[in-house]
Amino acid sequence: MPSIPLHIATPPVNAPENPLPSLLQTPSGFAIVELQGTINFPTPEPNPSSSVEVGKVVFPLYNPQLNEPGDTKWMKRVYFYVGQNQRMTGEVKKLAKPFAVIKKREGGYVDMGGMQKGEGTTEELEIVDVVRYKIMFSTRPEPVGGEV
Amino acid sequence: MATQQDAGGVPFSIAHDMRQFRLLELPAELLALLDAPDPPLLSMKSQAPSSAKPAYVVLCTPTSTFQLRQVQTSNTVLITQPTLEAHDSDIPVPTTRAMATCTTTLELHPADGTPIESLTELLPLYHIVDDEVDASGNGKSKDGVFRDIPFSDGQCNRVWQDMMAFEFAGSCWRPSANTLIQVWRSINQAAVADGIKLDKQFLTEDLMRAVDEDAHPADLVLAILMRLNTETESNNGPWSCLDCTKTVSFVGTALLDAKIGLSDYATTDFIESWKDCLPEVWRNETNLKAIDAAYSLPSPSTIRSKKSLDTAKADAAPKAGSQRKWHEKFGRARKK
């Protein structure tokens, strides 16, 4: 085993529309959100969907029509509304060292033009994306009115 | 996008089935490689699992090596991806969905050291005594050996070339000093017999054919020629031309190393053999300065290899692998 190839994945062609500001968009759409503590939410048992909506992320100063292309002031303020009445304040940070997002390659029998040595279950990894910014919420949530 | 801002931001959801992702911090050097139009193949490597030392994982580019270190974070780090989701309304809206959490991230640090130790350990010694080779191979190809060494292929290859390692009979080997001297003598004699001037440009193939009769592994002969080539001829073309400084130093060092463990070697005898082993044109180039780092003078009239001490220590240490037992056998035989 001791050598595992680390491939570089090609971004998907038909990725879903990315609702984040364009600066945060990466070829495969991955983003990093960091926060203190954890988000607790009830897991509704008979749930047909595969996810729970926990809130909304708002970039109050972001307006691509008004902001200059190089303007990064909007990065200073991000709100994360969790549920009806909690809000975290954070910012968008450029990472000093970008992160590669790595996962196990799906379908272990990928034909690499005969480079594989017979073992069918060779573990392979791939870099699915390189993320250069993160949305960082370093403060505790504060109570807000339920208008959101 | 602006419309979504107006509508109150980007919906954020958390997937029920979290997936397994890792975050790997990219140093500038690696980032530049990944951003290049044709990024090279990277790989994660570690030592063979059987080895007694704790196996650590490294990340290799074709030419450099990084050590991986796992770093804990107390914050929650979510990896998100855009999806289309319909929750409260029937119309699916672009949503950011967290589909993985990372409690640790991976940092990369340039790995120091060289693969010399690993290669020395993994390659059996090809040792010729009285025209007989008594050694069992490792049954591995060069690629197979490199796979078990936690360094990049580029770094492994440099050391491989430097120790003149070679593939022969389905295994990889490193030549002993004694072997090097014998093969070198064959090269030198073949060159004289066929009128090939080693200090001028010659067809590598011609010399290989001339040496062939001695039945040394062709790959080893080639490895020696490549190692001794002048800079301009070292790029594997059909031509060779040996470098005077490299050759003189190589022959001197190998001669000395071949005497490790034997009785004292008179300096005058050594110089004489050294001259005899060199092509005629370089006979007068023998100067102890050429092998400065390789010798010591235990007495005014004798000389020995600096490696003697290291080798003595290495021999005293208990050997773990069974593969090298034959080497101890040689050691004992020589001491008798």
Side-chain angles (χ1 to χ4, degrees):
Chain A
M1 103 66 196
S3 180
I4 302 170
L6 179 60
H7 301 276
I8 295 156
T10 40
V13 187
N14 290 318
E17 186 194 335
N18 193 336
L20 293 174
S22 53
L23 185 70
L24 301 180
Q25 295 183 13
T26 60
S28 297
F30 289 96
I32 296 174
V33 175
E34 188 173 331
L35 44 95
Q36 268 200 343
T38 52
I39 301 173
N40 292 314
F41 53 89
T43 314
E45 256 336 299
N47 193 339
S49 73
S50 53
S51 66
V52 182
E53 186 173 351
V54 293
K56 283 186 163 63
V57 179
V58 180
F59 303 88
L61 306 178
Y62 181 69
N63 188 337
Q65 266 108 53
L66 292 180
N67 297 3
E68 297 285 322
D71 186 0
T72 54
K73 278 198 207 87
W74 64 270
M75 289 167 61
K76 289 285 164 220
R77 181 131 304 190
V78 186
Y79 293 130
F80 188 178
Y81 292 92
V82 183
Q84 291 302 304
N85 40 30
Q86 285 190 83
R87 184 179 79 174
M88 283 186 284
T89 307
E91 59 180 319
V92 174
K93 275 190 170 165
K94 189 177 189 345
L95 294 162
K97 285 181 182 165
F99 278 117
V101 182
I102 293 179
K103 72 172 181 70
K104 273 187 200 160
R105 191 166 218 177
E106 281 154 17
Y109 48 88
V110 185
D111 183 30
M112 290 295 296
M115 277 167 70
Q116 244 65 4
K117 294 271 176 196
E119 308 134 89
T121 53
T122 324
E123 196 173 63
E124 294 192 17
L125 299 170
E126 62 183 353
I127 296 178
V128 286
D129 222 338
V130 175
V131 180
R132 288 154 212 267
Y133 293 88
K134 69 175 173 186
I135 309 174
M136 172 84 192
F137 298 98
S138 50
T139 55
R140 288 163 179 281
E142 49 191 331
V144 288
E147 81 272 13
V148 181
Chain B
M1 229 164 295
T3 52
Q4 276 149 31
Q5 294 299 318
D6 299 341
V10 182
F12 192 94
S13 71
I14 295 182
H16 289 152
D17 293 323
M18 287 295 199
R19 294 168 64 189
Q20 287 294 319
F21 281 88
R22 301 302 297 269
L23 290 177
L24 175 73
E25 207 176 76
L26 297 171
E29 184 193 337
L30 204 55
L31 187 67
L33 279 181
L34 291 178
D35 282 343
D38 195 10
L41 182 68
L42 306 174
S43 60
M44 300 277 201
K45 283 176 113 183
S46 71
Q47 275 161 312
S50 57
S51 69
K53 286 175 237 162
Y56 53 90
V57 180
V58 296
L59 184 142
C60 295
T61 72
T63 53
S64 54
T65 308
F66 296 90
Q67 244 160 25
L68 281 152
R69 191 183 297 161
Q70 188 155 291
V71 185
Q72 296 273 347
T73 147
S74 59
N75 288 349
T76 303
V77 178
L78 300 165
I79 300 176
T80 69
Q81 215 179 4
T83 54
L84 275 176
E85 283 185 19
H87 284 280
D88 297 332
S89 57
D90 291 327
I91 310 150
V93 288
T95 301
T96 286
R97 179 195 288 185
M99 22 70 73
T101 53
C102 294
T103 50
T104 59
T105 59
L106 298 168
E107 277 183 3
L108 290 175
H109 300 274
D112 17 284
T114 72
I116 290 180
E117 202 182 303
S118 305
L119 269 172
T120 311
E121 194 180 307
L122 289 172
L123 299 180
L125 201 62
Y126 190 88
H127 191 60
I128 307 177
V129 180
D130 303 332
D131 290 338
E132 299 258 341
V133 179
D134 177 17
S136 48
N138 56 8
K140 281 183 179 169
S141 67
K142 180 178 173 183
D143 290 345
V145 168
F146 283 10
R147 257 200 294 280
D148 287 345
I149 299 176
F151 283 98
S152 68
D153 283 359
Q155 288 164 296
C156 289
N157 209 29
R158 255 199 308 282
V159 172
W160 171 278
Q161 286 168 349
D162 205 50
M163 57 170 59
M164 290 161 278
F166 60 101
E167 289 179 287
F168 175 64
S171 282
C172 290
W173 313 84
R174 64 192 163 93
S176 68
N178 206 28
T179 305
L180 286 175
I181 275 301
Q182 296 208 26
V183 178
W184 168 255
R185 283 206 174 104
S186 303
I187 292 174
N188 197 23
Q189 281 158 13
V192 173
D194 280 37
I196 297 170
K197 288 193 170 67
L198 294 175
D199 61 327
K200 303 274 176 346
Q201 211 178 42
F202 60 90
L203 263 177
T204 316
E205 213 176 284
D206 288 349
L207 184 68
M208 298 285 293
R209 219 176 296 125
V211 179
D212 199 20
E213 290 153 21
D214 280 340
H216 289 306
D219 204 27
L220 172 57
V221 178
L222 199 61
I224 295 176
L225 292 178
M226 288 302 136
R227 163 83 197 279
L228 301 180
N229 253 333
T230 54
E231 293 301 323
T232 44
E233 297 295 343
S234 57
N235 42 7
N236 271 0
W239 300 92
S240 286
C241 173
L242 300 196
D243 182 87
C244 172
T245 319
K246 282 189 202 170
T247 309
V248 170
S249 148
F250 157 75
V251 173
T253 312
L255 265 178
L256 265 191
D257 290 352
K259 295 281 181 184
I260 287 173
L262 297 181
S263 53
D264 287 346
Y265 199 5
T267 312
T268 45
D269 289 352
F270 164 67
I271 301 274
E272 213 41 49
S273 319
W274 194 5
K275 283 181 193 292
D276 288 346
C277 281
L278 287 170
E280 205 53 40
V281 277
W282 292 336
R283 229 188 126 77
N284 294 323
E285 301 291 334
T286 52
N287 183 328
L288 286 182
K289 273 197 185 111
I291 53 166
D292 213 11
Y295 75 96
S296 63
L297 300 170
S299 76
S301 61
T302 56
I303 188 165
R304 74 170 168 218
S305 167
K306 261 194 185 157
K307 283 191 199 139
S308 305
L309 282 173
D310 302 346
T311 319
K313 260 183 240 154
D315 281 348
K319 296 241 166 63
S322 60
Q323 276 183 344
R324 299 186 65 190
K325 281 209 175 115
W326 59 271
H327 183 55
E328 291 169 46
K329 197 170 73 192
F330 276 127
R332 261 180 268 125
R334 250 184 273 142
K335 274 171 205 147
K336 274 174 201 164

